[in-house]
Amino acid sequence: MNTNDTYLIYAGGTFGSHGVPLSPLDSAIFLPVLVDRLGQYDPNHLIKILPNNIIKDSSTLTPSDFVGLYDIILQAYQAGGRKFVLITGTDTLSFLSAFLANAFAALTDISLIITGSMQPLLEPTSATYAINLDSDAWQNLTDALTASKHHTGVFVQFANKTFHAHDTQKIDSQANDAFVGTPIQESVHTKAITAKLPVQALLSNANHSLIKTIYCLPNTPQILADELNHLHPNTKAVILIGFGAGNVPSSPALIEALKQLHAKNIPIICTTMCAFGGVNGDYQAGAWQYEYGVWSAAQLGIPAIYGRALWLIINDAMKLENWNV
């Protein structure tokens, strides 16, 4: 592989969807159309397609799919590739991006740009697969290809913006400008945890690892305690989505449930349902839980927590000293 070439991975999503209702086209159908379009883009920018069988609506991606995409990029990197663009769906783009940002954090010479679109590249009802001129897909892709030539690291490219991939979030289900995150101009600090296990072991762990989310609502605290007391056996971590700055209603039953999970080394990570601001211990309504082993998500959003937690879990490295960044 050539370090100057850009390697493109198509993983489905709205970008390559067609029909009514929309669903991702098989790569055998979509990629020839895309390659033809790319031939008109920049003849001096060599773009090569990496084979990939994970072609899905991103809402159906699983942890094993995350590892599968990681493996495709890792193998190409080990063969000499350095520039990559990954096309995926927007529903889980932030979750996948955070996972890959953590997975490749130790590689200082990789350029991985993750993108997608809110509108399909092709006209949904066109039998000839005509280009959809109203779509944001082509602009997002060409911006991602340009970014792959100029930036080193793992980033999300969307709506003329480049974000650090470790913590982006989809905040609009319809608008083209659907994502927020930390702009590339701002520095970020993420503790790199390199892969400690071979890919097959990572895949096995991914198949047997569950990250549970519990969303706080104005219910009695007993409901939260019951949920924590009846976790799936494969649960490796819990994301507790609190009010405001991470406030969670307290009760003796909930405290006991937290103690039991702490004793089992199942981390509970508190975040907020608010899109911005993160969590803190300014209020007693939130501070109490940290006395019972709950971890703070600080400024990380839910997709960022999931992506980092999954990477640590499948590497058997889900420890507080590895979580704090």
Side-chain angles (χ1 to χ4, degrees):
M1 287 187 166
N2 193 318
T3 57
N4 293 320
D5 295 345
T6 297
Y7 295 89
L8 183 65
I9 307 106
Y10 166 63
T14 297
F15 192 104
S17 286
H18 191 260
V20 180
L22 290 167
S23 62
L25 286 169
D26 184 85
S27 58
I29 298 173
F30 179 67
L31 286 178
V33 180
L34 181 60
V35 168
D36 180 66
R37 178 71 169 163
L38 287 170
Q40 306 169 34
Y41 161 61
D42 181 358
N44 296 317
H45 189 165
L46 296 178
I47 303 164
K48 298 182 179 179
I49 306 295
L50 283 181
N52 168 44
N53 294 322
I54 305 170
I55 312 294
K56 294 183 174 184
D57 186 290
S58 72
S59 62
T60 65
L61 289 176
T62 64
S64 60
D65 293 326
F66 283 23
V67 175
L69 292 167
Y70 159 75
D71 186 31
I72 290 169
I73 298 166
L74 179 63
Q75 288 192 43
Y77 176 86
Q78 292 172 337
R82 290 297 180 269
K83 300 179 180 66
F84 304 92
V85 170
L86 169 61
I87 298 171
T88 187
T90 60
D91 281 352
T92 56
L93 186 148
S94 292
F95 296 84
L96 175 60
S97 297
F99 175 81
L100 293 173
N102 282 278
F104 293 114
L107 302 183
T108 59
D109 58 348
I110 193 172
S111 174
L112 170 58
I113 315 297
I114 301 118
T115 193
S117 67
M118 297 299 289
Q119 300 294 328
L121 177 68
L122 307 177
E123 287 284 356
T125 59
S126 170
T128 59
Y129 301 124
I131 298 297
N132 179 5
L133 299 179
D134 295 326
S135 172
D136 59 326
W138 184 246
Q139 186 65 56
N140 286 347
L141 176 57
T142 54
D143 286 348
L145 291 169
T146 299
S148 73
K149 295 197 297 183
H150 298 292
H151 303 301
T152 302
V154 185
F155 303 99
V156 169
Q157 182 70 46
F158 221 91
N160 302 306
K161 298 174 184 176
T162 309
F163 302 115
H164 290 280
H166 81 290
D167 186 14
T168 63
Q169 193 157 337
K170 185 178 180 181
I171 60 168
D172 197 302
S173 65
Q174 303 296 322
N176 287 351
D177 192 4
F179 287 83
V180 295
T182 304
I184 193 171
Q185 294 86 355
E186 298 180 24
S187 61
V188 298
H189 302 284
T190 299
K191 185 176 181 180
I193 303 295
T194 56
K196 303 179 184 301
L197 301 171
V199 170
Q200 277 305 115
L202 297 179
L203 185 60
S204 177
N205 285 347
N207 284 328
H208 298 90
S209 296
L210 172 67
I211 299 174
K212 171 70 174 178
T213 57
I214 298 178
Y215 198 102
C216 287
L217 293 170
N219 295 320
T220 170
Q222 185 63 46
I223 300 298
L224 293 178
D226 290 345
E227 289 193 75
L228 289 173
N229 286 327
H230 296 90
L231 297 175
H232 189 279
N234 287 341
T235 301
K236 305 300 181 184
V238 176
I239 303 174
L240 186 58
I241 307 170
F243 302 100
N247 298 335
V248 177
S250 176
S251 73
L254 183 53
I255 289 172
E256 183 59 30
L258 293 177
K259 287 181 178 179
Q260 292 295 326
L261 291 178
H262 185 61
K264 295 177 183 177
N265 293 318
I266 297 177
I268 304 96
I269 306 152
C270 183
T271 186
T272 171
M273 61 184 72
C274 300
F276 304 102
V279 300
N280 59 59
D282 291 351
Y283 293 90
Q284 178 56 29
W288 70 269
Q289 63 190 305
Y290 303 119
E291 300 175 22
Y292 301 101
V294 174
W295 299 3
S296 169
Q299 298 297 311
L300 295 181
I302 295 168
I305 298 167
Y306 180 91
R308 182 163 183 80
L310 180 61
W311 177 248
L312 293 175
I313 286 166
I314 65 174
N315 278 284
D316 296 329
M318 191 61 170
K319 300 175 183 178
L320 185 57
E321 60 266 29
N322 292 334
W323 179 259
N324 292 330
V325 293

